[in-house]
Amino acid sequence: MNDSGENGEKKRSRRPATERTAQRDPERTRAAILDAATREFAENGMGGARVDAIAERAGTNKRMLYHYFGDKEQLYLRVLEEAYVGIRTAERALHIGDRSPEEGIGELALFTWRYFLQHPEFLSLLGTENLHRARWLRQSVRLKELHSHLIGELSDVLEQGKKQGVFIETADPLHVYLTIASLGYFYLSNQYTLSTIFGRDLIEPTHLNAWERHIVHVTLASIKR
């Protein structure tokens, strides 16, 4: 009786501690895997990222990773989706439509630049996905819905500005967003080469602040009457 009980306990204890923890707190395990995967994919790209490294970073094992996310490609797509959910959710909280048209556009420009600064992993993931010509991004229905909201809100702000005679009639919401995003993305994605070529440390706070003001100025100048 005792022997069988001890044997049963030994059998149960053979499961890895990480697996037992994951079963007790699945949400925490999923979050840890996503966080680890984000860092791994941002640092090494889709091709260079290793499932073993992701599991190790997350403090779990490959079995649990496959259990929650299927395979490496599905995990990568989930990482991409969560990265976009992060920035789109934060954008919604701005409520740019509650401000004057000029303030709304300026606030969106400031937010986007600062978000890029605070989330370099987001820019790395964008670079990786563009190398693959959005192969995985095209599979996501979830992201299309997120982006439609952004363009819709931006369109409303521009229309309000046109009615007030502040913005030109040809101001296009996609063009405005591309202006904002490209000015920030190019600067940060090429910071090392540009700093070397022009002999100026572009990441010094004074240069970052000056570029922030430049982004707002250029964006508004491109659409104001």
Side-chain angles (χ1 to χ4, degrees):
M1 192 81 173
N2 291 336
D3 288 343
S4 62
E6 290 176 1
N7 289 337
E9 182 61 33
K10 287 178 181 178
K11 288 179 181 179
R12 286 192 293 273
S13 65
R14 285 173 187 167
R15 289 182 301 170
T18 54
E19 187 172 334
R20 295 197 301 273
T21 301
Q23 291 177 346
R24 289 196 296 269
D25 195 348
E27 291 305 315
R28 181 178 179 181
T29 302
R30 289 192 189 94
I33 292 172
L34 275 176
D35 179 67
T38 298
R39 287 180 283 138
E40 180 71 12
F41 286 126
E43 292 172 12
N44 301 297
M46 176 59 183
R50 294 171 50 247
V51 172
D52 284 328
I54 295 172
E56 183 177 350
R57 284 177 183 246
T60 185
N61 55 55
K62 289 195 295 184
R63 178 176 174 179
M64 298 312 299
L65 187 150
Y66 293 135
H67 171 71
Y68 287 124
F69 297 100
D71 57 23
K72 180 180 173 181
E73 292 196 4
Q74 292 181 61
L75 177 57
Y76 173 70
L77 175 57
R78 181 65 179 275
V79 164
L80 278 178
E81 289 181 333
E82 291 304 315
Y84 273 106
V85 166
I87 188 170
R88 294 290 93 93
T89 300
E91 283 167 347
R92 287 192 182 203
L94 295 175
H95 298 293
I96 61 174
D98 296 340
R99 308 167 186 266
S100 73
E102 286 183 89
E103 289 177 344
I105 299 300
E107 188 63 25
L108 179 62
L110 285 174
F111 163 81
T112 304
W113 166 246
R114 291 169 182 174
Y115 193 92
F116 285 177
L117 277 173
Q118 295 164 7
H119 297 273
E121 76 286 350
F122 180 66
L123 301 185
S124 295
L125 291 169
L126 289 184
T128 293
E129 188 60 7
N130 274 292
L131 284 174
H132 293 282
R133 301 188 178 186
R135 172 183 170 185
W136 286 276
L137 203 59
R138 285 197 300 266
Q139 301 174 28
S140 177
V141 176
R142 184 183 183 194
L143 292 185
K144 293 176 183 176
E145 297 170 350
L146 285 169
H147 286 77
S148 65
H149 178 274
L150 167 67
I151 294 300
E153 188 171 22
L154 190 49
S155 296
D156 291 342
V157 172
L158 291 176
E159 287 302 315
Q160 188 63 32
K162 292 173 186 178
K163 290 178 181 177
Q164 294 178 14
V166 176
F167 297 150
I168 58 176
E169 288 298 321
T170 55
D172 180 273
L174 180 58
H175 290 175
V176 170
Y177 186 76
L178 290 178
T179 299
I180 293 170
S182 60
L183 286 170
Y185 181 84
F186 182 85
Y187 187 103
L188 295 174
S189 295
N190 296 276
Q191 59 183 276
Y192 301 109
T193 53
L194 293 173
S195 294
T196 300
I197 291 169
F198 296 110
R200 180 184 295 184
D201 186 359
L202 296 181
I203 302 304
E204 284 186 356
T206 53
H207 297 317
L208 292 176
N209 292 335
W211 192 253
E212 177 178 282
R213 293 191 296 271
H214 184 71
I215 291 174
V216 176
H217 172 74
V218 169
T219 302
L220 287 172
S222 71
I223 58 176
K224 286 180 68 174
R225 284 188 177 276

